[in-house]
Amino acid sequence: MRPPVLKDYNADDQTEPITDDATPPASAALLLAALFWAEAPNITPYCGTAHQFDGLGSTSVETRYLGLVTPVAAVHCRAALSRGWTPGVSATSSYHEAATSDGGMTGNDVVRVNWYQTPAGVVPVGAFSGLHADIALSAETKNDTPSTPIDRLFEVQTLGAPYVEPWMVTKVAGFSVVVSEQLADLETL
Amino acid sequence: MPITTPTKPQIAAEFELLLPQMTTQPLRKALENLNYHWKYFRPALVSFAPTADPGLTRSSEYHIPIAPSADGLRYTFESRFLCSAAAQNVTVAVEYTTAYVAGAGSVWVGICSDVVVSNAVAGALTTFQKVDQTIPATAVALRWSLTAPGAGDRTDHHFVAWPTPAAPLVGLQLSGYAPFDDTLLLSADQAAVHTEWLNRCKFSMVKLLRDRKQNAYSFGQEYRSAPRWLKTNVQYWAPLPPVRIWLPGQSGQVALSVAVIAEVNAGAVADLVRFRQVGMDGAAKTVVIDASGAIEAATLDVQVQGAGLMAYADVEMAIKTTAGNTTRVFAAMAWTAPGS
């Protein structure tokens, strides 16, 4: 079994060779160093792009469809949802909706992340350049067969090559996705 | 000599890591992973969700600064838009320029242009993919444009450009990457260890990590046509909500390469767009950028928060104006490369 080991690219001097010996010994340490350098970049998830856009200006712009490049060995993702708001009571629903094609974009498969509420329980109006703003993170709850729309991990395909996964999200001023779970045994990739 | 490119990462089995004997495997797997990496390392160059009016009955164009590969790679484009009427013709075009000029003076070179028939269901999403289009290494910006449908209206949702190169070629590439040619290890077991091969496992990977920059932040509005977000006579910083950039496998300080196209209607252009990191302890890193109408570049150093897969940095963009004047941003992009 080979679990994924995430490399810390900032902890390594990328300009130093693995060996500068013209006749290095056939040591396991050298081989493993070469092996991990050849494996790690292929399984490290890509940077999660922060998409900034107006999904709050009016009801007609609230739903956004995107196609996000999904890296190798991804299993589940989480999302960061940026929102802004102004004082006033929202006339629309008090939650974001988001989904992947792989997880399902209808009915109970849709992920719901709570919209902002004031301490008094007031649901404010969304605004792209409003007075207040924050970032909400979707849940790390794993449930691939929900019986109701809940806040949970997003499902993506686990493949040996990157691909574009269709996404949908509502009522945000910014949206980014992170691979939060990778394949447990890379030998099964 | 033939080059083998595997279709998925070659993962050495656990038993191959226990006291390996330096035979053909697992070194060959490691080296073949270089070839896999060339073909399948595909972080998005552009992942762009425009801020535009919904229900457009006009053509739109978006100018997007880019940082393409030095190897002149092929890229695949996907455009997502929605037409209110069924089966409408929309021409989707992608062009590039090697010299972006403020105003309308840029010379655009066509990459592709297609008449796309929108979804047969009115109001349903249309996804159009154009595969394997070359973006030259000298390109500094793309122009993504969509025409008005014959009936009804159009809402623009997303544009992505991601590298889809062919199998690696022999020899040293412009990025500094060199592939693995598989015939070298077809000799008998217990062949001599090659310094070159061991180091190539690292250097070729590093070269591609640095060359194929990963889109960290994107924002954009229609070029010139009534941008939704602008400020007039606002002489203090007016920010947009912060957004989170995910930086898996990174720690400490990371450099973000920022490129902005912004302009004013009149007056001075200096220091009217600001990027800064937010949501962290200590002094936030900040860069201010001119709204000159040209592509203005800067480097924002961010301090990585979190760790591992969940490492991140929250950033915020803001603009301000000079007295009585208007500032508007047409595009703001940022890229990162692991270890930068």
Side-chain angles (χ1 to χ4, degrees), chain A residues 2 19 21 42 49 51 82 160 189, chain B residues 8 12 36-37 47 195 215 242:
Chain A
R2 291 282 317 280
T19 177
D21 189 341
N42 285 321
T49 307
H51 304 86
S82 302
L189 190 62
Chain B
K8 62 180 181 179
Y36 170 90
H37 198 61
S47 187
T195 300
N215 189 193

Side-chain angles (χ1 to χ4, degrees), chain B residues 3 38 70-71 168-180 196 200 203-204 207-208:
Chain B
I3 297 178
W38 168 271
D71 295 323
L169 301 173
V170 175
L172 189 65
Q173 304 303 305
L174 291 171
S175 60
Y177 165 91
F180 163 58
E196 164 77 18
R200 191 173 293 188
F203 285 150
S204 277
K207 294 298 184 184
L208 289 192

Side-chain angles (χ1 to χ4, degrees), chain B residues 208-259:
Chain B
L208 289 192
L209 286 176
R210 294 300 184 94
D211 175 66
R212 297 184 194 177
K213 295 178 174 51
Q214 305 184 26
N215 189 193
Y217 174 94
S218 67
F219 169 81
Q221 308 192 86
E222 289 182 273
Y223 188 70
R224 293 288 172 81
S225 302
R228 285 177 67 85
W229 182 64
L230 52 80
K231 294 296 175 184
T232 298
N233 200 28
V234 172
Q235 293 163 66
Y236 52 86
W237 288 114
L240 289 175
V243 289
R244 180 157 295 181
I245 301 171
W246 296 104
L247 300 164
Q250 301 205 63
S251 65
Q253 184 168 287
V254 167
L256 300 180
S257 302
V258 179

Side-chain angles (χ1 to χ4, degrees), chain B residues 128-321:
Chain B
F128 173 64
Q129 185 184 77
K130 186 76 174 181
V131 301
D132 299 339
Q133 305 297 300
T134 299
I135 298 178
T138 51
V140 298
L142 296 180
R143 180 166 69 178
W144 176 52
S145 57
L146 303 94
T147 58
D153 55 51
R154 189 197 78 245
T155 302
D156 302 329
H157 278 254
H158 187 247
F159 174 76
V160 61
W162 56 310
T164 51
L169 301 173
V170 175
L172 189 65
Q173 304 303 305
L174 291 171
S175 60
Y177 165 91
F180 163 58
D181 184 320
D182 66 354
T183 59
L184 199 61
L185 283 183
L186 289 181
S187 55
D189 283 353
Q190 301 172 349
V193 170
H194 300 273
T195 300
E196 164 77 18
W197 291 125
L198 289 173
N199 287 330
R200 191 173 293 188
C201 288
K202 178 175 181 178
F203 285 150
S204 277
M205 291 304 217
V206 168
K207 294 298 184 184
L208 289 192
L209 286 176
R210 294 300 184 94
D211 175 66
R212 297 184 194 177
K213 295 178 174 51
Q214 305 184 26
N215 189 193
Y217 174 94
S218 67
F219 169 81
Q221 308 192 86
E222 289 182 273
Y223 188 70
R224 293 288 172 81
S225 302
R228 285 177 67 85
W229 182 64
L230 52 80
K231 294 296 175 184
T232 298
N233 200 28
V234 172
Q235 293 163 66
Y236 52 86
W237 288 114
L240 289 175
V243 289
R244 180 157 295 181
I245 301 171
W246 296 104
L247 300 164
Q250 301 205 63
S251 65
Q253 184 168 287
V254 167
L256 300 180
S257 302
V258 179
V260 170
I261 301 173
E263 69 177 24
V264 299
N265 68 325
V269 304
D271 298 345
L272 297 179
V273 182
R274 183 188 72 187
F275 272 91
R276 66 177 184 175
Q277 184 177 10
V278 295
M280 55 170 283
D281 295 330
K285 298 296 181 70
T286 300
V287 293
V288 286
I289 300 168
D290 298 344
S292 68
I295 297 176
E296 297 286 348
T299 299
L300 175 65
D301 293 324
V302 296
Q303 196 68 25
V304 175
Q305 308 293 299
L309 288 174
M310 302 296 286
Y312 71 92
D314 293 341
V315 298
E316 171 199 89
M317 180 173 67
I319 59 174
K320 64 179 180 181
T321 78

Side-chain angles (χ1 to χ4, degrees), chain A:
Chain A
M1 179 178 177
R2 291 282 317 280
V5 177
L6 191 65
K7 186 173 183 56
D8 182 345
Y9 292 93
N10 298 81
D12 206 340
D13 184 344
Q14 296 187 0
T15 63
E16 282 295 310
I18 291 174
T19 177
D20 56 5
D21 189 341
T23 55
S27 70
L30 278 179
L31 179 61
L32 290 174
L35 199 69
F36 289 139
W37 258 111
E39 284 183 2
N42 285 321
I43 61 165
T44 300
Y46 304 140
C47 165
T49 307
H51 304 86
Q52 182 116 64
F53 57 91
D54 185 359
L56 293 168
S58 67
T59 305
S60 58
V61 299
E62 286 189 349
T63 301
R64 182 64 62 122
Y65 296 98
L66 308 97
L68 303 183
V69 180
T70 304
V72 172
V75 177
H76 286 103
C77 294
R78 297 178 71 180
L81 298 88
S82 302
R83 59 269 182 100
W85 59 90
T86 57
V89 178
S90 173
T92 58
S93 57
S94 61
Y95 49 78
H96 308 270
E97 291 192 317
T100 63
S101 176
D102 188 60
M105 288 189 163
T106 59
N108 296 330
D109 292 329
V110 173
V111 173
R112 286 186 179 174
V113 178
N114 285 336
W115 179 247
Y116 181 81
Q117 287 191 357
T118 70
V122 173
V123 178
V125 178
F128 187 47
S129 55
L131 293 177
H132 308 282
D134 77 349
I135 299 173
L137 195 59
S138 66
E140 54 184 338
T141 304
K142 187 185 297 188
N143 183 346
D144 293 347
T145 55
S147 56
T148 58
I150 60 171
D151 193 354
R152 61 184 180 92
L153 291 173
F154 295 94
E155 300 152 75
V156 293
Q157 295 185 59
T158 306
L159 302 177
Y163 76 102
V164 173
E165 174 70 43
W167 283 76
M168 176 275 289
V169 65
T170 68
K171 294 181 62 173
V172 295
F175 184 68
S176 62
V177 166
V178 60
V179 174
S180 58
E181 181 187 358
Q182 293 183 287
L183 188 64
D185 182 5
L186 294 176
E187 289 188 56
T188 62
L189 190 62

